[in-house]
Amino acid sequence: MGETAAANRHHHNHHHGHQVFDVASSDVVPPQPAFKCFDDDGRLKRTGTVWTASAHIITAVIGSGVLSLAWAIAQLGWIAGPAVMLLFSFVTLYSSTLLSDCYRTGDAVSGKRNYTYMDAVRSILGGFKFKICGLIQYLNLFGIAIGYTIAASISMMAIKRSNCFHKSGGKDPCHMSSNPYMIIFGVTEILLSQIPDFDQIWWISIVAAVMSFTYSAIGLALGIVQVAANGVFKGSLTGISIGTVTQTQKIWRTFQALGDIAFAYSYSVVLIEIQDTVRSPPAESKTMKKATKISIAVTTMFYMLCGSMGYAAFGDAAPGNLLTGFGFYNPFWLLDIANAAIVVHLVGAYQVFAQPIFAFIEKSVAERYPDNDFFTKEFEIKIPGLRSPYKANVFRIVYRCGFVVSTTVISMLMPFFNDVVGILGALGFWPLTVYFPVEMYIKQRKVEKWSTRWVCLQMLSVACLVITVVAGVGSIAGVMLDLKVYKPFKSTY
């Protein structure tokens, strides 16, 4: 699920600095300076190319979604699994193409730029849809924060367990509770949440990229080694067999697998921010279309490899999270490296998804209560070793702590990685990846109602809506089934 700091960097600067400017110059092009170091909107010249845009997209996409793919393919089997993945990649590719035409409202070369996905929805579709889109997007970000808390705590636990397992020579099953690890993660995030604009620190995106490649590559390599050791490709054409799970479970799990795969592809939200880093001429949308083709080809290949190798290595027994499901026991130090990489990545990625929510809430509150000291007054606290004093605000501290505590508590109530990932994938997929891009494109290109193109676009939208509903229902059913067996706050693995 999209993990980019780079993309959000733009979105953030935009939040703070450019509000006034936008209103003033929606129709006026600022006078061009004699030397060309600014773009037509008066911002510093953008320098991005096809390659930088592709790199951003790849880092945005390849994240913790990779880990549940082997499980998803195991539910679907060797025919449907790869087919569903290809299907999602084509839908994502197509809707990304539609989205790239929405970067500029009106004319593709000189129309007014939209700096974020939400800006595009506001300027093309208007206020009401903008509110709904905002609600879905912030819900999605909140959900991602929960998903990351679960994933990070499972990885911390896996390090602990693999070492304990190694010590006892595999005799001790090493059961332990995930709660202390969720609390550790929560406390870390509370501290990081107090750093303003943490998601704009330039090196975070590089660290995230390196980490996600590290653990994805280790997962892939271990899968290949395991297949070589087994000497056969495990798995069947139709997926997990009815004896292993009941008929109804098989249906729910198939639906849930759709959600997991959708989650792995849900990054349309950051595309416009990435497009905002690209230089022109040629028109940004052209560059972006090339970049989405390259990056979706790369990620689909990578996903196919990771998912297929994981399934080939374990067959029906493919674990829900490839690196922590204890499919692999040795080499234990390599697994520890991979899990440590996941934790480092998720600690940063959590902030990348939480900071936009903070910015949004704080902005709305400040607008509503401009005179209330509780919300607006800044206290300066001198911290030894820092040049500038830390600006503290009571509301900000209370609210950000509250946010992190709520995500941690919810994670402790339902620590099921796959189900939560499935719900998130379902929630974000149809509205953000299909519905809004299709609607914006129809509006931008003035597609006639009931023309062939219009009908095809609407059919695509309806088909994806069905997939989303089915995946959502499957995942919620999964949570219900898990909750029957599980007592809140007492999860042990």
Side-chain angles (χ1 to χ4, degrees):
M1 172 155 250
E3 285 91 39
T4 109
N8 277 5
R9 196 168 308 135
H10 293 279
H11 144 122
H12 231 70
N13 296 347
H14 176 54
H15 268 317
H16 304 312
H18 285 274
Q19 250 25 52
V20 189
F21 174 80
D22 269 349
V23 180
S25 69
S26 51
D27 309 306
V28 192
V29 174
Q32 287 292 337
F35 49 94
K36 290 274 197 220
C37 62
F38 294 97
D39 274 327
D40 55 14
D41 59 345
R43 296 204 181 173
L44 277 178
K45 196 131 188 75
R46 293 161 176 80
T47 55
T49 59
V50 174
W51 299 110
T52 61
S54 306
H56 279 318
I57 298 176
I58 292 171
T59 41
V61 189
I62 295 186
S64 44
V66 173
L67 301 172
S68 62
L69 287 177
W71 183 87
I73 291 188
Q75 309 316 309
L76 299 167
W78 278 122
I79 298 175
V84 167
M85 270 187 166
L86 277 177
L87 177 83
F88 274 109
S89 65
F90 277 117
V91 171
T92 310
L93 179 62
Y94 186 64
S95 71
S96 310
T97 313
L98 299 184
L99 253 185
S100 63
D101 285 332
C102 303
Y103 172 59
R104 288 174 179 273
T105 308
D107 185 69
V109 182
S110 59
K112 177 180 174 294
R113 297 166 186 263
N114 299 306
Y115 301 106
T116 64
Y117 188 88
M118 302 279 282
D119 282 351
V121 174
R122 184 195 276 142
S123 72
I124 297 172
L125 297 176
F128 177 65
K129 283 188 177 160
F130 166 72
K131 284 192 175 121
I132 292 178
C133 174
L135 182 70
I136 293 170
Q137 194 174 340
Y138 290 122
L139 252 177
N140 209 14
L141 293 175
F142 182 70
I144 292 171
I146 295 170
Y148 281 2
T149 306
I150 298 172
S153 67
I154 294 177
S155 283
M156 289 190 252
M157 218 162 65
I159 295 177
K160 192 98 172 121
R161 276 189 69 186
S162 88
N163 293 347
C164 145
F165 218 82
H166 190 71
K167 269 202 194 88
S168 71
K171 292 181 193 62
D172 177 3
C174 299
H175 288 302
M176 50 178 68
S177 163
S178 59
N179 293 337
Y181 300 97
M182 291 192 182
I183 293 166
I184 293 171
F185 185 79
V187 171
T188 313
E189 294 303 345
I190 284 180
L191 293 174
L192 292 180
S193 299
Q194 304 309 326
I195 304 175
D197 297 343
F198 182 76
D199 54 334
Q200 289 174 33
I201 300 172
W202 59 271
W203 44 264
I204 282 194
S205 133
I206 300 169
V207 172
V210 172
M211 291 302 158
S212 52
F213 274 109
T214 307
Y215 63 74
S216 311
I218 291 178
L220 177 59
L222 287 173
I224 295 173
V225 171
Q226 185 80 29
V227 171
N230 296 344
V232 295
F233 274 75
K234 290 189 178 175
S236 63
L237 295 180
T238 52
I240 200 161
S241 41
I242 299 291
T244 325
V245 291
T246 61
Q247 178 69 53
T248 46
Q249 259 182 320
K250 166 91 174 158
I251 295 171
W252 291 133
R253 285 173 149 219
T254 305
F255 291 167
Q256 204 181 317
L258 293 174
D260 282 10
I261 295 174
F263 175 79
Y265 277 108
S266 58
Y267 62 100
S268 53
V269 180
V270 294
L271 279 177
I272 288 189
E273 277 104 322
I274 294 173
Q275 191 160 344
D276 192 41
T277 62
V278 171
R279 67 162 175 241
S280 62
E284 296 91 350
S285 56
K286 279 194 184 129
T287 312
M288 208 53 196
K289 281 170 192 166
K290 269 191 205 134
T292 44
K293 281 193 190 102
I294 297 169
S295 52
I296 290 180
V298 172
T299 46
T300 305
M301 273 239 328
F302 195 70
Y303 280 176
M304 287 278 197
L305 276 171
C306 284
S308 309
M309 279 305 164
Y311 183 35
F314 299 121
D316 281 359
N321 179 334
L322 193 60
L323 291 171
T324 59
F326 282 86
F328 306 115
Y329 291 107
N330 281 320
F332 82 111
W333 54 270
L334 193 60
L335 275 179
D336 290 353
I337 292 175
N339 280 309
I342 294 179
V343 174
V344 171
H345 179 184
L346 294 182
V347 165
Y350 182 98
Q351 290 300 323
V352 170
F353 288 101
Q355 293 273 358
I357 304 186
F358 298 157
F360 169 72
I361 301 264
E362 280 147 28
K363 201 171 134 232
S364 358
V365 168
E367 278 166 10
R368 189 168 279 175
Y369 308 105
D371 307 326
N372 188 327
D373 275 356
F374 176 66
F375 295 116
T376 52
K377 194 170 171 60
E378 301 267 357
F379 297 96
E380 296 204 338
I381 302 172
K382 290 208 165 41
I383 299 175
L386 287 182
R387 277 193 301 262
S388 50
Y390 174 71
K391 286 189 170 55
N393 161 293
V394 184
F395 171 69
R396 187 181 328 152
I397 292 177
V398 172
Y399 164 70
R400 292 185 176 200
C401 288
F403 176 87
V404 177
V405 169
S406 68
T407 59
T408 312
V409 169
I410 294 175
S411 310
M412 284 151 81
L413 283 170
M414 35 180 250
F416 319 119
F417 181 65
N418 289 77
D419 305 340
V420 172
V421 162
I423 292 176
L424 290 175
L427 176 76
F429 178 67
W430 176 71
L432 300 175
T433 308
V434 185
Y435 175 75
F436 286 115
V438 164
E439 290 296 297
M440 289 198 283
Y441 181 80
I442 288 176
K443 191 90 185 278
Q444 273 276 64
R445 289 274 176 274
K446 303 186 174 53
V447 180
E448 288 290 312
K449 244 188 183 163
W450 303 114
S451 63
T452 322
R453 176 162 240 189
W454 188 88
V455 172
C456 291
L457 284 168
Q458 295 299 355
M459 275 163 59
L460 171 76
S461 189
V462 170
C464 292
L465 173 62
V466 172
I467 293 177
T468 279
V469 170
V470 158
V473 170
S475 303
I476 291 169
V479 170
M480 294 303 173
L481 290 172
D482 285 343
L483 282 173
K484 274 185 189 155
V485 192
Y486 158 83
K487 311 216 170 6
F489 296 121
K490 287 207 176 50
S491 76
T492 53
Y493 287 88

